[in-house]
Amino acid sequence: MSPVSSPLFLGLDLSTQQIKAVLISQDAVITHESSVRFSEDLPHYSTTNGAYYGPDKGEVTSPVAMWLEAMDLLMQRMKDTGVDFSRIAAVSGSGQQHGSVYWSHESDAMLDGLDPAEPLLQLCPHAFSKQRCPIWQDSSTTRECRELEHAVGGPQALADLTGSRGYERFTGTQIKRIRRIAPDIYNASAHISLVSSFMPSLFLGKIAPIEIADASGMNLMNIMTSKWNDVLLDAAGGSELRAKVGPEPVLGGTHLGTVHCYWVKRWGFSPECIVAPFTGDNPATVVALSAPGDALLSLGTSTTYLLSIPPASTPPKCFTTSHLLAHPTTPGAHIAMLCYKNGALAREQVRDRFCHASWTAFNQYLESAPPGNNGYSGLYFPIEEIIPPNVLGEFLFKADPKDLNALPERTDAIPHTAHPRAIVESQFLSILSRVAAILPSGAAPLQRLVITGGASANETIRRACADMFGLPTYMCATKEAAAMGGALLAKFAWWRAQNGGGTYEEMSGGELPGMTCVAEPKVPRETYEALLPRYRLCEEEVVRVGTLEGGGLPTN
């Protein structure tokens, strides 16, 4: 293989609301960023922030044609800004986790025969058996979750086997529901991709295998072996599902092949440009933003906490309120994840209702209240939550601030100035109450917290992160962490091809590009650890009454 001169590495991220591109140099410096926002740049699809809601309860989908048109537009924008595609030595990336794409029996021939004179939209509609793809926000599969859990002995058994209990947004239950309500579509599907494997399929001109970290979000893969589980495949899609999902999942950095001639002739890619597996957005963010000893906290639409767990002789613990994913680059390693639906939405509602819709007022109230919030607590779930499961509503408590073990009393109201600290403390204490359980026995203490997502731009919330987690808090220079992780995975595939193999740590030297410390803890760690018993009492009460006050469990 002749090396590309001054190689660049392309990372793409196909998320809910946009597709983003990040180009990095060999020393991991960002040289270009572009994006296409679906609702703004492609309004003719009439999506709401990139998605369709309904008509069935909980059903959320995105049009596959929109993703193809967005890719065409993204490439054009890169070309218009002077990107030299011939310098791109490898491409990888990420996709929104749990979304799925359904290819027709015509897809193989259509991918192989892509016409460089036409945009990617030439694949629609005939290359797809389903034109609207279920995405991670979908919650229409409660029945399928319970059935999949039952197939292996219950929620904990499914978590032990796959790393997670049955979740509505997971791909296995989505497939199972489509097979039940639309058997014609299921039977017409020759292949089923994740959003992450859909993207490299376009570059290869053939169906790409699914990558192991993103396969962890399907409830179909054995989390310890990274192989498909036949019992779950059969329960979700029958004996034919193994052929539809393809070969065993592959590790990030695998050399899948080089780009199809379509990309060479239409955009000027090098014919030697390597295509590597794309992973999920959360694992890609871990690749971009964390090293051993780091905890990663994403403060976006959802709140997500991630920990890398190195290979060990004892399997990591699996819980029904957390996720365990395979690590995208390190065989035998895992990522522990806590995911909360009520992140930015809940914080913004508190801001709007109690702080005159002002972040300045929110920050002032947050800073003026001491740790423990003078005994006031609040747990806020404007949408049905994952942790704790299925709770919905607002729950306020008042306790004696001097007696941290006293049972908090439910109350109808707390001072409006107490709500900002109440929501920040409840969101972070929920994570802290679970961290010790998901850390492996004998693990070294965490060294730093890396934060990302919209709220990481808020200096007051950054200081709260440092204080509550008791860790120096860092941020990366780029806001596009998932695309950056994809670019690094592309570089990893190229580096392995150049060196005949090797580990990600050998390539990176354990260094993360562009990290800056943004806050140091000023409050003793013991201060917030002492608040955990009171938080747990509040959460127990919420779980006891929350699903009743919130209207009960969703049904199909």
Side-chain angles (χ1 to χ4, degrees):
M1 177 186 300
S2 58
V4 176
S5 176
S6 303
L8 298 173
F9 306 97
L10 175 59
L12 300 170
D13 175 44
L14 178 52
S15 66
T16 314
Q17 300 186 43
Q18 61 184 318
I19 184 171
K20 293 154 280 188
V22 166
L23 269 178
I24 64 170
S25 61
Q26 195 169 347
D27 54 358
V29 173
I30 295 174
T31 64
H32 175 86
E33 294 186 62
S34 290
S35 66
V36 172
R37 295 191 64 85
F38 302 140
S39 293
E40 297 167 15
D41 294 319
L42 301 170
H44 47 284
Y45 287 97
S46 301
T47 63
T48 301
N49 296 320
Y52 295 128
Y53 295 84
D56 293 341
K57 182 180 179 182
E59 188 175 80
V60 186
T61 59
S62 290
V64 68
M66 179 183 72
W67 293 342
L68 293 171
E69 190 171 351
M71 174 69 88
D72 286 318
L73 181 55
L74 184 70
M75 292 294 116
Q76 188 63 54
R77 287 182 173 176
M78 293 176 70
K79 181 180 179 180
D80 291 345
T81 56
V83 169
D84 181 357
F85 291 104
S86 69
R87 292 179 56 197
I88 297 174
V91 58
S92 184
S94 67
Q96 52 175 292
Q97 288 192 261
H98 318 301
S100 46
V101 178
Y102 298 78
W103 300 92
S104 73
H105 290 280
E106 297 177 55
S107 60
D108 291 320
M110 293 186 71
L111 279 169
D112 184 53
L114 281 167
D115 181 355
E118 299 294 331
L120 288 171
L121 204 55
Q122 65 188 277
L123 292 170
C124 281
H126 300 296
F128 303 97
S129 56
K130 184 171 174 56
Q131 305 305 314
R132 296 188 178 187
C133 304
I135 63 171
W136 69 275
Q137 293 171 309
D138 188 286
S139 60
S140 64
T141 60
T142 301
R143 166 179 167 175
E144 284 72 23
C145 289
R146 303 293 84 79
E147 289 174 350
L148 209 59
E149 289 171 345
H150 179 74
V152 293
Q156 186 61 59
L158 186 61
D160 291 340
L161 183 57
T162 70
S164 302
R165 65 171 172 84
Y167 282 97
E168 281 78 4
R169 65 190 188 280
F170 273 39
T171 322
T173 54
Q174 293 291 343
I175 293 170
K176 187 173 176 61
R177 179 172 183 266
I178 289 169
R179 185 187 183 215
R180 174 173 64 86
I181 69 171
D184 54 332
I185 290 176
Y186 182 74
N187 292 332
S189 301
H191 311 285
I192 299 174
S193 292
L194 298 182
V195 173
S196 59
S197 58
F198 158 74
M199 297 286 280
S201 299
L202 300 176
F203 281 97
L204 289 166
K206 61 182 180 181
I207 302 299
I210 294 173
E211 180 269 346
I212 60 170
D214 213 13
S216 308
M218 300 178 74
N219 281 139
L220 297 177
M221 186 189 81
N222 184 311
I223 191 61
M224 299 311 300
T225 66
S226 296
K227 306 292 185 184
W228 300 124
N229 179 271
D230 285 323
V231 172
L232 291 168
L233 287 174
D234 188 67
S239 59
E240 64 268 37
L241 183 54
R242 177 175 277 274
K244 294 179 190 289
V245 297
E248 301 293 356
V250 296
L251 197 66
T254 299
H255 190 320
L256 296 180
T258 54
V259 292
H260 187 271
C261 61
Y262 174 88
W263 299 90
V264 178
K265 295 176 181 178
R266 185 171 179 85
W267 299 110
F269 276 75
S270 164
E272 296 176 348
C273 177
I274 293 169
V275 181
F278 287 39
T279 186
D281 49 5
N282 286 309
T285 300
V286 168
V287 170
L289 299 186
S290 67
D294 291 343
L296 176 58
L297 179 64
S298 177
L299 297 169
T301 304
S302 59
T303 294
T304 308
Y305 183 84
L306 300 123
L307 286 175
S308 292
I309 300 174
S313 57
T314 303
K317 297 177 183 176
C318 295
F319 298 92
T320 58
T321 56
S322 63
H323 305 294
L324 191 67
L325 311 177
H327 196 281
T329 65
T330 308
H334 295 88
I335 299 170
M337 181 171 77
L338 300 170
C339 184
Y340 300 79
K341 284 186 182 179
N342 290 282
L345 174 64
R347 292 189 294 270
E348 289 166 3
Q349 286 195 4
V350 166
R351 175 202 63 189
D352 294 345
R353 291 169 58 201
F354 305 109
C355 309
H356 318 292
S358 165
W359 281 119
T360 300
F362 183 100
N363 293 342
Q364 288 174 345
Y365 297 156
L366 175 57
E367 290 179 318
S368 64
N373 206 22
N374 297 311
Y376 294 112
S377 300
L379 284 77
Y380 307 79
F381 308 106
I383 57 178
E384 202 163 40
E385 188 49 88
I386 301 170
I387 305 173
N390 303 311
V391 295
L392 182 67
E394 181 177 286
F395 307 87
L396 306 176
F397 299 87
K398 177 69 173 75
D400 181 353
K402 297 180 181 179
D403 185 357
L404 296 176
N405 294 308
L407 181 67
E409 295 183 358
R410 288 282 303 278
T411 180
D412 293 332
I414 62 177
H416 73 279
T417 56
H419 285 277
R421 179 160 286 275
I423 189 168
V424 171
E425 285 195 351
S426 68
Q427 289 185 337
F428 293 172
L429 287 172
S430 178
I431 296 170
L432 282 170
S433 70
R434 293 169 166 86
V435 168
I438 64 176
L439 278 170
S441 177
L446 297 172
Q447 299 300 308
R448 65 179 179 180
L449 179 71
V450 180
I451 59 172
T452 185
S456 65
N458 185 315
E459 183 179 353
T460 302
I461 291 179
R462 292 201 298 256
R463 289 199 296 267
C465 287
D467 286 342
M468 294 190 67
F469 289 93
L471 294 168
T473 298
Y474 285 73
M475 290 179 64
C476 183
T478 180
K479 295 181 181 179
E480 308 300 349
M484 179 66 176
L488 291 168
L489 287 168
K491 179 188 170 186
F492 182 41
W494 173 85
W495 180 86
R496 292 181 74 233
Q498 297 295 310
N499 293 278
T503 68
Y504 188 85
E505 289 69 27
E506 288 171 339
M507 179 194 77
S508 67
E511 294 296 321
L512 294 171
M515 283 291 172
T516 303
C517 184
V518 294
E520 293 278 0
K522 305 296 184 184
V523 175
R525 185 187 296 265
E526 295 78 13
T527 300
Y528 284 103
E529 289 177 347
L531 294 174
L532 290 176
R534 188 170 78 191
Y535 169 78
R536 291 188 178 104
L537 291 171
C538 293
E539 187 180 284
E540 288 170 4
E541 176 66 7
V542 168
V543 170
R544 187 182 71 83
V545 301
T547 54
L548 297 176
E549 295 186 3
L553 295 174
T555 59
N556 284 61

